[in-house]
């Protein structure tokens, strides 16, 4: 399935995406326990692009009452992972940078949109913007990917 699928923020598309051995992101869906633990929902997926959302819970804020930067990073990094796993083999991060632009708080819904900027051979570059429910930018994340020669684990 390489066509774009969108859903409302309250639902996900995980159940509507079939495993495709030529698309490693579809294998990730079946075993991504971190995504589940943080309540991250897949909203749209196509090769080179992914949109995920997360409601900030009370246990995700720091001592100042704002969303812990690691939680924002986790959402952005997860969107990066789904966008860059475009082929049959596992793709990993070779490096990332994040800039936090504004605070969010418990109860906010954050959405990360990851898009491929460049892909050549085994290397890729992806930009991820994290916004809140008002459309305000919370963070900008840039990920560099490396396609391994490892096949996907058996499902």
């Amino acid at each position: 399935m390489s066509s774009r699928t969108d859903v409302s923020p309250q639902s996900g598309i995980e159940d509507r995406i079939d495993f495709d051995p030529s698309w490693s992101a579809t294998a990730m869906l079946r075993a991504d326990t971190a995504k589940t633990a943080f309540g991250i929902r897949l909203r749209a997926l196509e090769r080179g692009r992914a949109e995920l959302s997360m409601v900030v819970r009370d246990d995700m804020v720091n001592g100042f009452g704002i969303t812990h930067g690691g939680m924002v990073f986790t959402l952005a990094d997860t969107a990066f992972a789904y966008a860059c796993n475009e082929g049959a083999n596992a793709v990993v991060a070779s490096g990332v940078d994040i800039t936090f632009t504004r605070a969010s708080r418990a109860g906010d819904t954050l959405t990360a949109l990851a898009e491929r900027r460049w892909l050549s051979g085994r290397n890729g570059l992806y930009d991820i913007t994290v916004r809140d429910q008002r459309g305000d930018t919370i963070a900008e994340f840039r990920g560099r990917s490396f396609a391994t020669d490892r096949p996907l684990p058996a499902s």
Side-chain angles (χ1 to χ4, degrees):
M1 168 185 249
S2 62
S3 63
R4 180 178 169 154
T5 305
D6 291 309
V7 295
S8 71
Q10 292 76 30
S11 64
I13 63 172
E14 291 91 348
D15 297 337
R16 292 192 260 157
I17 297 177
D18 294 325
F19 171 71
D20 177 346
S22 73
W23 190 6
S24 53
T26 66
M28 288 174 50
L29 281 173
R30 274 85 194 139
D32 192 347
T33 56
K35 179 176 73 60
T36 302
F38 287 104
I40 297 172
R41 304 290 304 211
L42 185 65
R43 296 182 56 189
L45 181 65
E46 58 186 283
R47 294 178 196 258
R49 185 181 183 282
E51 185 175 342
L52 288 80
S53 64
M54 175 182 77
V55 176
V56 179
R57 303 184 311 234
D58 290 339
D59 63 346
M60 296 176 166
V61 299
N62 64 23
F64 298 118
I66 60 176
T67 308
H68 190 287
M71 301 299 143
V72 176
F73 183 96
T74 297
L75 175 62
D77 188 51
T78 304
F80 169 43
Y82 280 94
C84 74
N85 272 279
E86 302 184 52
N89 291 352
V91 177
V92 297
S94 62
V96 302
D97 298 294
I98 191 166
T99 301
F100 300 103
T101 58
R102 119 183 255 121
S104 61
R105 292 176 168 62
D108 284 344
T109 298
L110 304 182
T111 300
L113 177 61
E115 297 179 297
R116 177 186 351 103
R117 295 294 179 232
W118 170 81
L119 185 62
S120 180
R122 296 170 74 167
N123 298 291
L125 186 64
Y126 297 78
D127 286 335
I128 298 86
T129 300
V130 178
R131 291 189 171 93
D132 64 15
Q133 68 276 6
R134 292 172 296 280
D136 293 329
T137 300
I138 302 300
E140 291 288 348
F141 178 111
R142 174 160 272 191
R144 296 172 299 283
S145 68
F146 177 77
T148 71
D149 57 4
R150 292 180 299 198
L152 300 177
S155 55

